[in-house]
């Protein structure tokens, strides 16, 4: 567990020792507990349950940051862990793939240290609802959502949702019987991403995954060309 006075636990995965050390020192000075791994394959995903954020390079390894992202999001006990991907590859395809797989943000190398720090703070803000907020749970049939704790349950059984999936679910439940456009969902969920507006296909991919995790309730999510998605009673 992170120390009580730490802002959160961060794992940096990068085979560039200079960058990894630079990030470790600077994030440490900001109050985060920081760990470093140079080989993505050496990361034990099962031990990331107490990690708040993984910052991974889409490095040139057989098993790289994107592979690690998939394994984190596909593993129910770690699906809640936020992941930020960065890369020197100038490829829109890679950006879309990373967001498709559930990345909370993506940043291009070379990047400003202060921009990365701002993005990290933004991701972690979205991860934790302010303690002072008093928000009642929202229900839809046998689905119950607590926006404050960012949890969702069906018949009191917790759902293992990624941050992106939970954000989309919350938007839909707050707009029952009203369509929300793909562009609007993309704008709200990926508001801090430089890729906002590039390709809303990531919305379709994440809603497809969300439907599967919701089981029968997932059948209530309907979409209509030109109008978007909604929860229908």
């Amino acid at each position: 567990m992170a120390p009580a006075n730490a802002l959160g636990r961060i794992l940096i995965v990068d085979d560039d020792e200079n960058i990894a050390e630079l990030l470790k020192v600077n994030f440490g000075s900001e109050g985060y507990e920081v760990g470093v791994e140079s080989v993505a394959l050496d990361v034990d995903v099962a031990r990331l349950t107490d990690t708040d954020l993984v910052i991974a390079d889409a490095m040139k390894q057989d098993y790289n940051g994107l592979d690690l992202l998939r394994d984190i999001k596909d593993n129910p006990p770690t699906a809640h862990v936020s992941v930020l991907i960065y890369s020197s590859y100038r490829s829109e395809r890679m950006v879309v793939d990373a967001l498709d797989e559930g990345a909370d943000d993506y940043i291009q190398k070379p990047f400003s240290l202060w921009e990365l720090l701002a993005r990290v703070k933004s991701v972690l803000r979205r991860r934790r609802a302010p303690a002072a907020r008093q928000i009642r749970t929202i229900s839809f049939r046998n689905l119950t959502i607590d926006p404050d704790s960012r949890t969702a349950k069906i018949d009191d059984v917790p759902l293992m949702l990624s941050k992106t999936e939970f954000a989309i679910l919350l938007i839909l439940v707050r707009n029952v019987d009203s369509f929300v456009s793909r562009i609007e969902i993309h704008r709200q969920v990926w508001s801090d991403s430089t890729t906002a507006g590039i390709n809303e296909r990531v919305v379709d991919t994440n809603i497809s995954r969300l439907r599967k995790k919701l089981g029968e309730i997932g059948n209530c999510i309907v979409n209509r060309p030109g109008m978007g998605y909604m929860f229908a009673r």
Side-chain angles (χ1 to χ4, degrees):
M1 297 290 291
N5 62 340
L7 295 179
R9 171 177 283 182
I10 295 176
L11 174 65
I12 297 167
V13 185
D14 195 330
D15 56 3
D16 187 321
E17 294 183 2
N18 293 327
I19 291 180
E21 184 62 23
L22 175 67
L23 297 183
K24 180 179 181 180
V25 170
N26 281 276
F27 281 113
S29 67
E30 288 289 327
Y32 297 96
E33 179 187 4
V34 186
V36 174
E37 283 285 358
S38 61
V39 180
L41 190 58
D42 288 346
V43 177
D44 186 350
V45 173
R47 300 188 64 171
L48 294 178
T49 53
D50 292 330
T51 299
D52 296 293
L53 173 67
V54 174
I55 304 175
D57 182 17
M59 59 193 81
K60 295 179 180 178
Q61 295 182 3
D62 291 337
Y63 180 92
N64 58 34
L66 291 178
D67 296 309
L68 177 61
L69 164 65
R70 295 184 189 100
D71 285 346
I72 289 173
K73 296 303 180 179
D74 288 343
N75 180 43
T78 58
H80 66 282
V81 176
S82 298
V83 180
L84 185 152
I85 297 291
Y86 60 71
S87 173
S88 59
Y89 296 117
R90 296 187 177 277
S91 167
E92 180 181 318
R93 176 72 263 164
M94 178 171 289
V95 175
V96 173
D97 285 346
L99 296 178
D100 264 355
E101 296 295 340
D104 294 83
D105 204 349
Y106 185 102
I107 188 169
Q108 180 81 47
K109 283 183 177 181
F111 50 76
S112 159
L113 178 62
W114 304 118
E115 179 185 0
L116 178 60
L117 178 59
R119 285 171 180 258
V120 165
K121 288 180 177 178
S122 179
V123 167
L124 294 179
R125 272 199 307 270
R126 296 199 301 266
R127 186 177 189 272
R128 303 188 184 98
R133 292 177 64 188
Q134 298 296 324
I135 304 177
R136 291 179 297 179
T137 58
I138 303 171
S139 298
F140 178 83
R141 298 194 178 183
N142 57 336
L143 169 68
T144 303
I145 300 173
D146 185 343
D148 195 33
S149 64
R150 303 187 68 82
T151 57
K153 300 178 181 179
I154 292 180
D155 293 328
D156 289 327
V157 178
L159 297 174
M160 297 299 180
L161 303 179
S162 69
K163 294 296 176 295
T164 299
E165 292 161 352
F166 182 87
I168 293 174
L169 176 62
L170 191 56
I171 291 170
L172 296 179
V173 170
R174 282 174 169 168
N175 293 277
V176 172
D177 291 331
S178 296
F179 281 103
V180 183
S181 70
R182 291 161 71 242
I183 292 176
E184 178 60 21
I185 294 173
H186 190 280
R187 185 189 67 79
Q188 291 190 44
V189 177
W190 289 275
S191 60
D192 299 296
S193 173
T194 57
T195 64
I198 288 180
N199 191 332
E200 287 79 36
R201 187 174 65 80
V202 294
V203 174
D204 300 333
T205 301
N206 280 278
I207 287 183
S208 177
R209 290 177 177 168
L210 179 60
R211 274 196 180 110
K212 294 178 182 178
K213 292 184 179 182
L214 291 176
E216 292 185 5
I217 289 289
N219 295 327
C220 296
I221 300 178
V222 299
N223 68 300
R224 184 174 299 172
M227 298 187 70
Y229 289 91
M230 78 170 177
F231 254 131
R233 296 183 192 277

mmCIF file with all atom_site columns, all heavy atoms in Angstrom, residues 142-164:
data_model
loop_
_atom_site.group_PDB
_atom_site.id
_atom_site.type_symbol
_atom_site.label_atom_id
_atom_site.label_alt_id
_atom_site.label_comp_id
_atom_site.label_asym_id
_atom_site.label_entity_id
_atom_site.label_seq_id
_atom_site.pdbx_PDB_ins_code
_atom_site.Cartn_x
_atom_site.Cartn_y
_atom_site.Cartn_z
_atom_site.occupancy
_atom_site.B_iso_or_equiv
_atom_site.pdbx_formal_charge
_atom_site.auth_seq_id
_atom_site.auth_comp_id
_atom_site.auth_asym_id
_atom_site.auth_atom_id
_atom_site.pdbx_PDB_model_num
ATOM 1   N N   . ASN A 1 142 ? -32.224 -3.438  -12.139 1.00 0.00 ? 142 ASN A N   1
ATOM 2   C CA  . ASN A 1 142 ? -31.467 -4.031  -11.029 1.00 0.00 ? 142 ASN A CA  1
ATOM 3   C C   . ASN A 1 142 ? -30.003 -3.587  -11.025 1.00 0.00 ? 142 ASN A C   1
ATOM 4   O O   . ASN A 1 142 ? -29.162 -4.179  -10.352 1.00 0.00 ? 142 ASN A O   1
ATOM 5   C CB  . ASN A 1 142 ? -31.545 -5.558  -11.072 1.00 0.00 ? 142 ASN A CB  1
ATOM 6   C CG  . ASN A 1 142 ? -31.036 -6.129  -12.387 1.00 0.00 ? 142 ASN A CG  1
ATOM 7   O OD1 . ASN A 1 142 ? -31.039 -5.443  -13.402 1.00 0.00 ? 142 ASN A OD1 1
ATOM 8   N ND2 . ASN A 1 142 ? -30.612 -7.381  -12.375 1.00 0.00 ? 142 ASN A ND2 1
ATOM 9   N N   . LEU A 1 143 ? -29.729 -2.518  -11.757 1.00 0.00 ? 143 LEU A N   1
ATOM 10  C CA  . LEU A 1 143 ? -28.386 -1.922  -11.807 1.00 0.00 ? 143 LEU A CA  1
ATOM 11  C C   . LEU A 1 143 ? -28.334 -0.722  -10.875 1.00 0.00 ? 143 LEU A C   1
ATOM 12  O O   . LEU A 1 143 ? -29.204 0.153   -10.929 1.00 0.00 ? 143 LEU A O   1
ATOM 13  C CB  . LEU A 1 143 ? -28.063 -1.484  -13.238 1.00 0.00 ? 143 LEU A CB  1
ATOM 14  C CG  . LEU A 1 143 ? -26.824 -0.601  -13.440 1.00 0.00 ? 143 LEU A CG  1
ATOM 15  C CD1 . LEU A 1 143 ? -25.544 -1.380  -13.139 1.00 0.00 ? 143 LEU A CD1 1
ATOM 16  C CD2 . LEU A 1 143 ? -26.784 -0.071  -14.877 1.00 0.00 ? 143 LEU A CD2 1
ATOM 17  N N   . THR A 1 144 ? -27.321 -0.696  -9.998  1.00 0.00 ? 144 THR A N   1
ATOM 18  C CA  . THR A 1 144 ? -27.135 0.426   -9.077  1.00 0.00 ? 144 THR A CA  1
ATOM 19  C C   . THR A 1 144 ? -25.743 1.013   -9.272  1.00 0.00 ? 144 THR A C   1
ATOM 20  O O   . THR A 1 144 ? -24.752 0.276   -9.288  1.00 0.00 ? 144 THR A O   1
ATOM 21  C CB  . THR A 1 144 ? -27.289 -0.025  -7.611  1.00 0.00 ? 144 THR A CB  1
ATOM 22  O OG1 . THR A 1 144 ? -28.576 -0.627  -7.433  1.00 0.00 ? 144 THR A OG1 1
ATOM 23  C CG2 . THR A 1 144 ? -27.166 1.160   -6.673  1.00 0.00 ? 144 THR A CG2 1
ATOM 24  N N   . ILE A 1 145 ? -25.678 2.325   -9.399  1.00 0.00 ? 145 ILE A N   1
ATOM 25  C CA  . ILE A 1 145 ? -24.404 3.011   -9.620  1.00 0.00 ? 145 ILE A CA  1
ATOM 26  C C   . ILE A 1 145 ? -24.182 4.036   -8.523  1.00 0.00 ? 145 ILE A C   1
ATOM 27  O O   . ILE A 1 145 ? -25.084 4.812   -8.183  1.00 0.00 ? 145 ILE A O   1
ATOM 28  C CB  . ILE A 1 145 ? -24.401 3.729   -10.985 1.00 0.00 ? 145 ILE A CB  1
ATOM 29  C CG1 . ILE A 1 145 ? -24.614 2.720   -12.121 1.00 0.00 ? 145 ILE A CG1 1
ATOM 30  C CG2 . ILE A 1 145 ? -23.099 4.493   -11.199 1.00 0.00 ? 145 ILE A CG2 1
ATOM 31  C CD1 . ILE A 1 145 ? -24.790 3.368   -13.463 1.00 0.00 ? 145 ILE A CD1 1
ATOM 32  N N   . ASP A 1 146 ? -22.975 4.034   -7.958  1.00 0.00 ? 146 ASP A N   1
ATOM 33  C CA  . ASP A 1 146 ? -22.578 5.035   -6.969  1.00 0.00 ? 146 ASP A CA  1
ATOM 34  C C   . ASP A 1 146 ? -21.499 5.903   -7.602  1.00 0.00 ? 146 ASP A C   1
ATOM 35  O O   . ASP A 1 146 ? -20.328 5.511   -7.665  1.00 0.00 ? 146 ASP A O   1
ATOM 36  C CB  . ASP A 1 146 ? -22.036 4.352   -5.710  1.00 0.00 ? 146 ASP A CB  1
ATOM 37  C CG  . ASP A 1 146 ? -21.716 5.354   -4.603  1.00 0.00 ? 146 ASP A CG  1
ATOM 38  O OD1 . ASP A 1 146 ? -21.598 6.553   -4.916  1.00 0.00 ? 146 ASP A OD1 1
ATOM 39  O OD2 . ASP A 1 146 ? -21.584 4.937   -3.447  1.00 0.00 ? 146 ASP A OD2 1
ATOM 40  N N   . PRO A 1 147 ? -21.847 7.088   -8.096  1.00 0.00 ? 147 PRO A N   1
ATOM 41  C CA  . PRO A 1 147 ? -20.869 7.958   -8.756  1.00 0.00 ? 147 PRO A CA  1
ATOM 42  C C   . PRO A 1 147 ? -19.729 8.387   -7.838  1.00 0.00 ? 147 PRO A C   1
ATOM 43  O O   . PRO A 1 147 ? -18.620 8.639   -8.293  1.00 0.00 ? 147 PRO A O   1
ATOM 44  C CB  . PRO A 1 147 ? -21.706 9.171   -9.195  1.00 0.00 ? 147 PRO A CB  1
ATOM 45  C CG  . PRO A 1 147 ? -23.111 8.661   -9.242  1.00 0.00 ? 147 PRO A CG  1
ATOM 46  C CD  . PRO A 1 147 ? -23.198 7.680   -8.114  1.00 0.00 ? 147 PRO A CD  1
ATOM 47  N N   . ASP A 1 148 ? -20.025 8.479   -6.527  1.00 0.00 ? 148 ASP A N   1
ATOM 48  C CA  . ASP A 1 148 ? -19.013 8.948   -5.584  1.00 0.00 ? 148 ASP A CA  1
ATOM 49  C C   . ASP A 1 148 ? -17.889 7.937   -5.417  1.00 0.00 ? 148 ASP A C   1
ATOM 50  O O   . ASP A 1 148 ? -16.704 8.286   -5.448  1.00 0.00 ? 148 ASP A O   1
ATOM 51  C CB  . ASP A 1 148 ? -19.665 9.243   -4.237  1.00 0.00 ? 148 ASP A CB  1
ATOM 52  C CG  . ASP A 1 148 ? -18.764 10.068  -3.335  1.00 0.00 ? 148 ASP A CG  1
ATOM 53  O OD1 . ASP A 1 148 ? -18.012 10.895  -3.866  1.00 0.00 ? 148 ASP A OD1 1
ATOM 54  O OD2 . ASP A 1 148 ? -18.810 9.878   -2.119  1.00 0.00 ? 148 ASP A OD2 1
ATOM 55  N N   . SER A 1 149 ? -18.247 6.664   -5.260  1.00 0.00 ? 149 SER A N   1
ATOM 56  C CA  . SER A 1 149 ? -17.234 5.622   -5.099  1.00 0.00 ? 149 SER A CA  1
ATOM 57  C C   . SER A 1 149 ? -16.850 4.987   -6.430  1.00 0.00 ? 149 SER A C   1
ATOM 58  O O   . SER A 1 149 ? -15.977 4.126   -6.483  1.00 0.00 ? 149 SER A O   1
ATOM 59  C CB  . SER A 1 149 ? -17.743 4.525   -4.151  1.00 0.00 ? 149 SER A CB  1
ATOM 60  O OG  . SER A 1 149 ? -18.878 3.866   -4.705  1.00 0.00 ? 149 SER A OG  1
ATOM 61  N N   . ARG A 1 150 ? -17.535 5.406   -7.496  1.00 0.00 ? 150 ARG A N   1
ATOM 62  C CA  . ARG A 1 150 ? -17.277 4.907   -8.841  1.00 0.00 ? 150 ARG A CA  1
ATOM 63  C C   . ARG A 1 150 ? -17.427 3.386   -8.903  1.00 0.00 ? 150 ARG A C   1
ATOM 64  O O   . ARG A 1 150 ? -16.562 2.677   -9.424  1.00 0.00 ? 150 ARG A O   1
ATOM 65  C CB  . ARG A 1 150 ? -15.900 5.340   -9.343  1.00 0.00 ? 150 ARG A CB  1
ATOM 66  C CG  . ARG A 1 150 ? -15.693 6.844   -9.347  1.00 0.00 ? 150 ARG A CG  1
ATOM 67  C CD  . ARG A 1 150 ? -14.398 7.259   -9.992  1.00 0.00 ? 150 ARG A CD  1
ATOM 68  N NE  . ARG A 1 150 ? -14.423 6.979   -11.424 1.00 0.00 ? 150 ARG A NE  1
ATOM 69  C CZ  . ARG A 1 150 ? -14.997 7.770   -12.335 1.00 0.00 ? 150 ARG A CZ  1
ATOM 70  N NH1 . ARG A 1 150 ? -15.624 8.864   -11.946 1.00 0.00 ? 150 ARG A NH1 1
ATOM 71  N NH2 . ARG A 1 150 ? -14.967 7.453   -13.614 1.00 0.00 ? 150 ARG A NH2 1
ATOM 72  N N   . THR A 1 151 ? -18.542 2.912   -8.344  1.00 0.00 ? 151 THR A N   1
ATOM 73  C CA  . THR A 1 151 ? -18.829 1.484   -8.369  1.00 0.00 ? 151 THR A CA  1
ATOM 74  C C   . THR A 1 151 ? -20.196 1.247   -8.989  1.00 0.00 ? 151 THR A C   1
ATOM 75  O O   . THR A 1 151 ? -21.089 2.101   -8.909  1.00 0.00 ? 151 THR A O   1
ATOM 76  C CB  . THR A 1 151 ? -18.808 0.875   -6.955  1.00 0.00 ? 151 THR A CB  1
ATOM 77  O OG1 . THR A 1 151 ? -19.754 1.582   -6.124  1.00 0.00 ? 151 THR A OG1 1
ATOM 78  C CG2 . THR A 1 151 ? -17.422 0.969   -6.348  1.00 0.00 ? 151 THR A CG2 1
ATOM 79  N N   . ALA A 1 152 ? -20.342 0.083   -9.583  1.00 0.00 ? 152 ALA A N   1
ATOM 80  C CA  . ALA A 1 152 ? -21.621 -0.304  -10.173 1.00 0.00 ? 152 ALA A CA  1
ATOM 81  C C   . ALA A 1 152 ? -21.900 -1.757  -9.790  1.00 0.00 ? 152 ALA A C   1
ATOM 82  O O   . ALA A 1 152 ? -20.993 -2.585  -9.758  1.00 0.00 ? 152 ALA A O   1
ATOM 83  C CB  . ALA A 1 152 ? -21.578 -0.154  -11.691 1.00 0.00 ? 152 ALA A CB  1
ATOM 84  N N   . LYS A 1 153 ? -23.167 -2.041  -9.488  1.00 0.00 ? 153 LYS A N   1
ATOM 85  C CA  . LYS A 1 153 ? -23.555 -3.389  -9.086  1.00 0.00 ? 153 LYS A CA  1
ATOM 86  C C   . LYS A 1 153 ? -24.839 -3.807  -9.795  1.00 0.00 ? 153 LYS A C   1
ATOM 87  O O   . LYS A 1 153 ? -25.701 -2.972  -10.076 1.00 0.00 ? 153 LYS A O   1
ATOM 88  C CB  . LYS A 1 153 ? -23.785 -3.460  -7.575  1.00 0.00 ? 153 LYS A CB  1
ATOM 89  C CG  . LYS A 1 153 ? -22.578 -3.116  -6.721  1.00 0.00 ? 153 LYS A CG  1
ATOM 90  C CD  . LYS A 1 153 ? -22.922 -3.180  -5.237  1.00 0.00 ? 153 LYS A CD  1
ATOM 91  C CE  . LYS A 1 153 ? -21.730 -2.826  -4.360  1.00 0.00 ? 153 LYS A CE  1
ATOM 92  N NZ  . LYS A 1 153 ? -22.067 -2.874  -2.913  1.00 0.00 ? 153 LYS A NZ  1
ATOM 93  N N   . ILE A 1 154 ? -24.950 -5.096  -10.072 1.00 0.00 ? 154 ILE A N   1
ATOM 94  C CA  . ILE A 1 154 ? -26.193 -5.679  -10.564 1.00 0.00 ? 154 ILE A CA  1
ATOM 95  C C   . ILE A 1 154 ? -26.607 -6.724  -9.543  1.00 0.00 ? 154 ILE A C   1
ATOM 96  O O   . ILE A 1 154 ? -25.854 -7.665  -9.271  1.00 0.00 ? 154 ILE A O   1
ATOM 97  C CB  . ILE A 1 154 ? -26.022 -6.321  -11.955 1.00 0.00 ? 154 ILE A CB  1
ATOM 98  C CG1 . ILE A 1 154 ? -25.755 -5.236  -13.011 1.00 0.00 ? 154 ILE A CG1 1
ATOM 99  C CG2 . ILE A 1 154 ? -27.260 -7.125  -12.335 1.00 0.00 ? 154 ILE A CG2 1
ATOM 100 C CD1 . ILE A 1 154 ? -25.580 -5.778  -14.420 1.00 0.00 ? 154 ILE A CD1 1
ATOM 101 N N   . ASP A 1 155 ? -27.788 -6.521  -8.949  1.00 0.00 ? 155 ASP A N   1
ATOM 102 C CA  . ASP A 1 155 ? -28.240 -7.405  -7.876  1.00 0.00 ? 155 ASP A CA  1
ATOM 103 C C   . ASP A 1 155 ? -27.183 -7.509  -6.774  1.00 0.00 ? 155 ASP A C   1
ATOM 104 O O   . ASP A 1 155 ? -26.900 -8.596  -6.260  1.00 0.00 ? 155 ASP A O   1
ATOM 105 C CB  . ASP A 1 155 ? -28.581 -8.797  -8.413  1.00 0.00 ? 155 ASP A CB  1
ATOM 106 C CG  . ASP A 1 155 ? -29.801 -8.782  -9.329  1.00 0.00 ? 155 ASP A CG  1
ATOM 107 O OD1 . ASP A 1 155 ? -30.691 -7.938  -9.095  1.00 0.00 ? 155 ASP A OD1 1
ATOM 108 O OD2 . ASP A 1 155 ? -29.843 -9.590  -10.265 1.00 0.00 ? 155 ASP A OD2 1
ATOM 109 N N   . ASP A 1 156 ? -26.569 -6.350  -6.445  1.00 0.00 ? 156 ASP A N   1
ATOM 110 C CA  . ASP A 1 156 ? -25.555 -6.250  -5.385  1.00 0.00 ? 156 ASP A CA  1
ATOM 111 C C   . ASP A 1 156 ? -24.251 -6.978  -5.704  1.00 0.00 ? 156 ASP A C   1
ATOM 112 O O   . ASP A 1 156 ? -23.383 -7.119  -4.834  1.00 0.00 ? 156 ASP A O   1
ATOM 113 C CB  . ASP A 1 156 ? -26.103 -6.773  -4.050  1.00 0.00 ? 156 ASP A CB  1
ATOM 114 C CG  . ASP A 1 156 ? -27.146 -5.831  -3.457  1.00 0.00 ? 156 ASP A CG  1
ATOM 115 O OD1 . ASP A 1 156 ? -26.994 -4.606  -3.664  1.00 0.00 ? 156 ASP A OD1 1
ATOM 116 O OD2 . ASP A 1 156 ? -28.088 -6.315  -2.810  1.00 0.00 ? 156 ASP A OD2 1
ATOM 117 N N   . VAL A 1 157 ? -24.091 -7.422  -6.947  1.00 0.00 ? 157 VAL A N   1
ATOM 118 C CA  . VAL A 1 157 ? -22.836 -8.046  -7.362  1.00 0.00 ? 157 VAL A CA  1
ATOM 119 C C   . VAL A 1 157 ? -21.992 -6.992  -8.092  1.00 0.00 ? 157 VAL A C   1
ATOM 120 O O   . VAL A 1 157 ? -22.435 -6.452  -9.116  1.00 0.00 ? 157 VAL A O   1
ATOM 121 C CB  . VAL A 1 157 ? -23.082 -9.247  -8.296  1.00 0.00 ? 157 VAL A CB  1
ATOM 122 C CG1 . VAL A 1 157 ? -21.748 -9.838  -8.752  1.00 0.00 ? 157 VAL A CG1 1
ATOM 123 C CG2 . VAL A 1 157 ? -23.920 -10.298 -7.595  1.00 0.00 ? 157 VAL A CG2 1
ATOM 124 N N   . PRO A 1 158 ? -20.807 -6.653  -7.569  1.00 0.00 ? 158 PRO A N   1
ATOM 125 C CA  . PRO A 1 158 ? -19.982 -5.612  -8.192  1.00 0.00 ? 158 PRO A CA  1
ATOM 126 C C   . PRO A 1 158 ? -19.585 -5.959  -9.624  1.00 0.00 ? 158 PRO A C   1
ATOM 127 O O   . PRO A 1 158 ? -19.305 -7.112  -9.950  1.00 0.00 ? 158 PRO A O   1
ATOM 128 C CB  . PRO A 1 158 ? -18.747 -5.552  -7.277  1.00 0.00 ? 158 PRO A CB  1
ATOM 129 C CG  . PRO A 1 158 ? -19.203 -6.129  -5.982  1.00 0.00 ? 158 PRO A CG  1
ATOM 130 C CD  . PRO A 1 158 ? -20.190 -7.196  -6.341  1.00 0.00 ? 158 PRO A CD  1
ATOM 131 N N   . LEU A 1 159 ? -19.577 -4.938  -10.475 1.00 0.00 ? 159 LEU A N   1
ATOM 132 C CA  . LEU A 1 159 ? -19.127 -5.096  -11.855 1.00 0.00 ? 159 LEU A CA  1
ATOM 133 C C   . LEU A 1 159 ? -17.679 -4.644  -11.958 1.00 0.00 ? 159 LEU A C   1
ATOM 134 O O   . LEU A 1 159 ? -17.304 -3.623  -11.374 1.00 0.00 ? 159 LEU A O   1
ATOM 135 C CB  . LEU A 1 159 ? -19.995 -4.255  -12.798 1.00 0.00 ? 159 LEU A CB  1
ATOM 136 C CG  . LEU A 1 159 ? -21.482 -4.608  -12.879 1.00 0.00 ? 159 LEU A CG  1
ATOM 137 C CD1 . LEU A 1 159 ? -22.220 -3.580  -13.732 1.00 0.00 ? 159 LEU A CD1 1
ATOM 138 C CD2 . LEU A 1 159 ? -21.658 -6.003  -13.456 1.00 0.00 ? 159 LEU A CD2 1
ATOM 139 N N   . MET A 1 160 ? -16.874 -5.383  -12.691 1.00 0.00 ? 160 MET A N   1
ATOM 140 C CA  . MET A 1 160 ? -15.480 -5.015  -12.895 1.00 0.00 ? 160 MET A CA  1
ATOM 141 C C   . MET A 1 160 ? -15.383 -4.168  -14.165 1.00 0.00 ? 160 MET A C   1
ATOM 142 O O   . MET A 1 160 ? -15.200 -4.692  -15.264 1.00 0.00 ? 160 MET A O   1
ATOM 143 C CB  . MET A 1 160 ? -14.606 -6.272  -13.010 1.00 0.00 ? 160 MET A CB  1
ATOM 144 C CG  . MET A 1 160 ? -14.586 -7.110  -11.753 1.00 0.00 ? 160 MET A CG  1
ATOM 145 S SD  . MET A 1 160 ? -13.914 -6.175  -10.346 1.00 0.00 ? 160 MET A SD  1
ATOM 146 C CE  . MET A 1 160 ? -14.029 -7.436  -9.050  1.00 0.00 ? 160 MET A CE  1
ATOM 147 N N   . LEU A 1 161 ? -15.543 -2.865  -14.019 1.00 0.00 ? 161 LEU A N   1
ATOM 148 C CA  . LEU A 1 161 ? -15.529 -1.960  -15.157 1.00 0.00 ? 161 LEU A CA  1
ATOM 149 C C   . LEU A 1 161 ? -14.256 -1.135  -15.173 1.00 0.00 ? 161 LEU A C   1
ATOM 150 O O   . LEU A 1 161 ? -13.738 -0.746  -14.120 1.00 0.00 ? 161 LEU A O   1
ATOM 151 C CB  . LEU A 1 161 ? -16.727 -1.009  -15.100 1.00 0.00 ? 161 LEU A CB  1
ATOM 152 C CG  . LEU A 1 161 ? -18.125 -1.637  -15.043 1.00 0.00 ? 161 LEU A CG  1
ATOM 153 C CD1 . LEU A 1 161 ? -19.174 -0.535  -14.957 1.00 0.00 ? 161 LEU A CD1 1
ATOM 154 C CD2 . LEU A 1 161 ? -18.381 -2.526  -16.245 1.00 0.00 ? 161 LEU A CD2 1
ATOM 155 N N   . SER A 1 162 ? -13.769 -0.848  -16.368 1.00 0.00 ? 162 SER A N   1
ATOM 156 C CA  . SER A 1 162 ? -12.630 0.061   -16.499 1.00 0.00 ? 162 SER A CA  1
ATOM 157 C C   . SER A 1 162 ? -13.130 1.475   -16.234 1.00 0.00 ? 162 SER A C   1
ATOM 158 O O   . SER A 1 162 ? -14.339 1.737   -16.214 1.00 0.00 ? 162 SER A O   1
ATOM 159 C CB  . SER A 1 162 ? -12.031 -0.026  -17.906 1.00 0.00 ? 162 SER A CB  1
ATOM 160 O OG  . SER A 1 162 ? -12.934 0.523   -18.854 1.00 0.00 ? 162 SER A OG  1
ATOM 161 N N   . LYS A 1 163 ? -12.220 2.413   -16.049 1.00 0.00 ? 163 LYS A N   1
ATOM 162 C CA  . LYS A 1 163 ? -12.611 3.805   -15.823 1.00 0.00 ? 163 LYS A CA  1
ATOM 163 C C   . LYS A 1 163 ? -13.428 4.335   -16.992 1.00 0.00 ? 163 LYS A C   1
ATOM 164 O O   . LYS A 1 163 ? -14.409 5.058   -16.818 1.00 0.00 ? 163 LYS A O   1
ATOM 165 C CB  . LYS A 1 163 ? -11.360 4.672   -15.627 1.00 0.00 ? 163 LYS A CB  1
ATOM 166 C CG  . LYS A 1 163 ? -10.585 4.351   -14.373 1.00 0.00 ? 163 LYS A CG  1
ATOM 167 C CD  . LYS A 1 163 ? -11.428 4.643   -13.145 1.00 0.00 ? 163 LYS A CD  1
ATOM 168 C CE  . LYS A 1 163 ? -10.708 4.237   -11.886 1.00 0.00 ? 163 LYS A CE  1
ATOM 169 N NZ  . LYS A 1 163 ? -10.492 2.805   -11.798 1.00 0.00 ? 163 LYS A NZ  1
ATOM 170 N N   . THR A 1 164 ? -13.015 3.978   -18.199 1.00 0.00 ? 164 THR A N   1
ATOM 171 C CA  . THR A 1 164 ? -13.712 4.447   -19.399 1.00 0.00 ? 164 THR A CA  1
ATOM 172 C C   . THR A 1 164 ? -15.117 3.870   -19.458 1.00 0.00 ? 164 THR A C   1
ATOM 173 O O   . THR A 1 164 ? -16.087 4.585   -19.739 1.00 0.00 ? 164 THR A O   1
ATOM 174 C CB  . THR A 1 164 ? -12.929 4.042   -20.658 1.00 0.00 ? 164 THR A CB  1
ATOM 175 O OG1 . THR A 1 164 ? -11.630 4.646   -20.612 1.00 0.00 ? 164 THR A OG1 1
ATOM 176 C CG2 . THR A 1 164 ? -13.649 4.507   -21.918 1.00 0.00 ? 164 THR A CG2 1
#
